[in-house]
Amino acid sequence: MGNINWRTILRLGLLGSVVALYFSMIGMVEDFSNRNLIGDLLNLGHVLLYAGIAGGALFAAREHSESNTVGRGLIGLATGALGALLPSGLVLLSSAINMRTVFVNVNPALSNIITFGRGVPTGLLLFVLASAVVGLITALFTVLPETWRGPVGKSFGIVIISAVFSDLVRQVLTNIIGSGMVRSLYVGDAYRPLVAAVLFVGLIALFFWLDRRAKQSNETTAIPQTDAKARQAKNRRNIALFLGWGVFLLIAPWILGSFLSQVLFEIGRFVLLGLGLNIVVGYAGLLDLGYVAFFAFGAYTMGILTTTTAINPAPGVFTFWTALPIVVLVGVVFGLLLGFPVLRMRGDYLAIVTLGFGEIIRILALSDWLAPIMGGAQGILKIPNPVFFGLELNSPELMYYLVLAGSLLAAFISIRLRDSRLGRQWMAMREDEDVAEAMGINLVQTKLLAFAIGAGFSALGGAIFAARLSTIFPHSFNLLISINALSLIIVGGLGSIPGVIVGAIALVGLPELLREFQEYRLLMYGILLIVMMLLRPEGFIPAEVFKRELHSDEDTGGPPAVEAQV
Amino acid sequence: MQKFIPKRLSGVDLFLRLFQIAAVALILIAIFNTASEARYTASQWATLLFAGLAQGSIYALIALGYTLVYGILLMINFAHGEVYMAGAFSTVFLAAYFARTGFLNEQPWLAILIMILFAAAISTIVAVLLERIAYRPLRNAPRLIPLITAIGASFALQYTFRGLYGAEFRAYPEVAILRGNMNLFGFQVPVVQPFVFITALLLMGALYWYVERTKAGKAMRAVSEDKDVAKLMGVDIDKVIVTTFMLGGALAGAAGVFNGLFRPQGVFFLMGFFPGIKAFTAAVLGGIGNIPGAMIGGLLLGVIEALGPNLILEGLGIPSANQLKDAIAFIVLVMILIFRPQGIFGERLAEKKA
Amino acid sequence: MSLLSIKNVTKRFGGLTAVNDLSLEIKDNSISSVIGPNGAGKTTFFNCVTGFYKVDEGSIVFDGEAIHNLRPDLITSKGIARTYQNIRLFSNMSALDNILVGQHVQLHTMWAEAIWQSKRFKDEEAAALAEARRLLSFVGLQGMGDLVAGSLPYGAQRRLEIARALASQPKLLLLDEPTAGMNPNESGEMTHFIRNLRDELGITILLIEHDMRVVMDISEQISVVDYGSKIAEGKPKDIQSNPQVIEAYLGRGAASGLQRQKAK
């Protein structure tokens, strides 16, 4: 059976228990338990409650890689049961004394969830049993042969995730197979149990088959394809992928409906912001936490110039389109103005001063002093929607195209600049300011260009935002926008344009789809940022080193000649 | 780490010099205007000054946490404001319990002492966990990375405490002996203000003694001078770092209780953000890494913030100047970092900042 | 005719005088070395020439133009390039990108042209890339252009740094300990390579070096610096027998001992 390290089990079991206790006490388990995933059997609260326990058991089983099936099963049982310790303690304690006056979320509802509604003695026993079983199953999962583990793991993940985002999945399914069919698959928001089981088994079979096919094709094509052929195939695939995405992006709002178009708009808005911030932080390495300021300048400039209320100094002169160049210009000018004083700051100082700028702008926008210009706490009302050749862009579906166009433009400019002399200047400066200067790079100019271009994108985003909402308040421009934008480019991968898009979908899009999530969004951001920095600081899609050499025609192999060739 | 190199950007220098002159001129004009119009009486100014000193001593206590950690690790513990919040927010329940049982009014000094110890304990635990989870694994990472985890930790802590205690404001109970005014230098001053001020000074004195006179303090100073040499001399770096976070946490926790006694608005989960930034400003003002600097910087910032709106902003003819109070700290911060980044007492920054 | 003429340069850090009243003439198309014990102020001197430090006193004239008040980037654009004692590549960028950054002062398109990809931009980029490839193989790193600079082996990093410096097409190249950390074999190759730079490309070379074999082998003129001041100057064989130099390196006792030995 191998040696069982009880201290590891104790440590990991308690760690899992702490995680379960944490999610219980901060109210996530209870709030998330309203979201059923599979009938009445499994809800999101359960997933959260048992996630830590299962994690503990998983690691404990992995630590004992030399143990056999029975041994690992026992380890899983023990770790899982141990994981139940702290939540059980919490239930016992809260049944004895009223903890709600301090810990608002430790209430009977939570106890009910933990004890399956059976009360203290029986329910608690059930909970310990359930934890042990969860631990057992997780531990046994590690015993599965390699060929099975992948498909089972992936299928389980897909079932859970598709159930969590059932709003999105159902919306798409409804458009494809009709609402009647969809209703037969779901009960409320959750999968019918049978559907989930069929899906799970089906997915396992599918992945199993895919893996085998991939392996077979690897074996049959043991003879390496010529590089040219492979490249051609890859190019073709890329073009197909590109076209596919292009078509999807164009028709997306009409498949997804109004609510999801709104979500797409939000994603697009943050893609635009993220691309701008990516230039400043990702390329030039200037950590800017006051990025929201330029977004605010953009929104306010658009608001002031086009609103129909008394705040407009020149009512009726500007439309959205004629104001747009002015907005971008204002953004760029303020980017230069705010960039100037911080030219000589680096790293953390730069971060805090820019954060200060962002807050100063917000406080000023809120003040009575500037209220005659910026509207004060009431903000600016009645900003008209843009009109595009007679078509008023008044719905989320139509505004989506505007933000899509803006994002594409920003992505285009980002890519072009990245691969230019300026892009190399930025990156050299990010890597080593002193050496960059010794290469003949003018740091002042290079930094200011980064601030200015980044600010321009942000102002453009702000203008579109103002036109979409028709009303802007100082509170819409708080630090969280900056943090959101920063988080998404970090999670996606600093300096990586696909990373910005993935980051925006993950950090802006998904939370919109998960209503229960809203309250815990910033908590999750915080944890995600820490976890990302600890485990994968380069992000989900790390920025690639730009490849210029063609490997096919210049593969020298072996080490290069030592002798310099003159 | 490369040496600090003085940079020459002559155009930039010129611009900044002009900016500096304009700022000073503006402040002088504003003060002159306010003084010549005699808008406020001496006792009104005194009221503002005493409130500013009390608030400033709270900033100073928090600022010490920034400065201690910066001195040792050369990083800004962005989440320090949340360490302060954790102590203040947790202790409000203990204070309410003491008030309910009558203990707070029977044994007020003892009760307040217990509250301070409790808050310090909670903040210390949070600070140590923060170091262990978010900073220690990244000690050798590029500078940007721990800063990002610090931002993450800041949000994680805020919303964890919101989850634990709820989103509402909760007010500290009033303590009978701290109610009312006392006569100080001929001015009527709320008793709580000198109390907060003096207790905070005592705590700062204790810290100064600890760092300057004890063996552990000596180890801290050694690590802050040169980590590698200190290690060779047998100093346990990890222990020193944990001690640093504990000290900073304890002072922040105490500051949390003072804040609760001092300000009637109460505490809530986002309360750490502004004091955190302001205390950081105070630390930079005094010269980050410099312990007396953080104390003086905190008091100074408290006073600037208290007098600033009436003295300067109103002198410039800005209406409802108090709305801009929070912006003052940021403006001070930007000004120092532009014109005297080493702060009032700091020379060390020049050597240490990469 | 001298390309670089340094007159009475002094640089102080607080109480420490790192470079003290130093004068130096570097002839066009020559190879010169600055040697001296550790902490003698050699690298500080380089930093003064490249504009990284502002000199407190004295003047530096390069190619007939006073440069001691210029910003580092402007000095580079006048035709001075350098390498660093502890290699400072842009370590997360590819080798080719490093060289392309080095070409900065040779490129002229504006960033706006990069967005609409004007013909001028495309031509210039293509030419720059070809030049970068050429330089890469010139230093013997052909085929390694796409590798991240930080992942290259030590010797390759040194050569890449030189290629990056050459990319700015300098008239004067400052090399700060180019053979540091190399074995005798490798430093022999490096010596050969440096001499080629001068012979083939006509670049004037000034180096700081500790390896006396390299210095004596390659230099036409050697300046010895100690405590920031120049204590000797001359041809390699003059320097080798100069008692002041021996004293600076080995201390007074050893120097007098050597003198006695010689006398015998």
Side-chain angles (χ1 to χ4, degrees), chain C residues 104-179:
Chain C
H104 181 81
V105 294
Q106 299 297 331
L107 306 179
H108 304 286
T109 48
M110 298 298 296
W111 57 274
E113 290 176 67
I115 295 176
W116 73 73
Q117 305 255 310
S118 69
K119 179 153 167 21
R120 192 162 89 107
F121 170 82
K122 279 200 249 178
D123 292 349
E124 190 180 271
E125 280 290 294
L129 194 58
E131 169 69 7
R133 285 224 181 83
R134 198 186 64 75
L135 279 167
L136 202 63
S137 51
F138 178 73
V139 298
L141 297 175
Q142 60 276 43
M144 296 167 100
D146 280 342
L147 296 179
V148 177
S151 71
L152 293 172
Y154 181 81
Q157 291 199 12
R158 276 244 173 264
R159 281 182 295 187
L160 178 58
E161 212 189 13
I162 293 178
R164 185 180 68 180
L166 290 177
S168 67
Q169 303 190 0
K171 295 180 198 138
L172 173 67
L173 179 61
L174 308 179
L175 300 171
D176 197 344
E177 298 199 25
T179 66

Side-chain angles (χ1 to χ4, degrees), chain A residues 416 420-421 424-425 431-432 434-435 437-442 449 545 548-549 560 562-566, chain C residues 71 73 76 84 88 91-92 97 104 107 114-115 117 125 129 133 140 145-146 159 189 192-193 200:
Chain A
R416 284 280 165 93
S420 77
R421 186 166 88 132
R424 293 192 296 267
Q425 270 166 261
E431 297 286 307
D432 191 329
D434 300 329
V435 179
E437 196 175 19
M439 294 295 123
I441 290 170
N442 182 337
L449 270 174
V545 175
R548 286 198 173 80
E549 302 233 39
V562 184
E563 190 75 19
Q565 300 163 355
V566 185
Chain C
R71 279 201 319 261
D73 53 306
T76 306
Y84 295 84
R88 284 171 82 174
S91 46
N92 288 317
D97 276 342
H104 181 81
L107 306 179
I115 295 176
Q117 305 255 310
E125 280 290 294
L129 194 58
R133 285 224 181 83
D146 280 342
R159 281 182 295 187
E189 278 154 11
H192 183 65
F193 176 71
E200 307 279 330

Side-chain angles (χ1 to χ4, degrees), chain B residues 50-79:
Chain B
F50 285 118
L53 281 173
Q55 182 64 56
S57 59
I58 292 174
Y59 292 155
L61 285 175
I62 309 171
L64 283 168
Y66 282 104
T67 264
L68 287 169
V69 169
Y70 192 89
I72 303 272
L73 288 178
L74 297 182
M75 67 162 277
I76 295 171
N77 177 9
F78 208 96

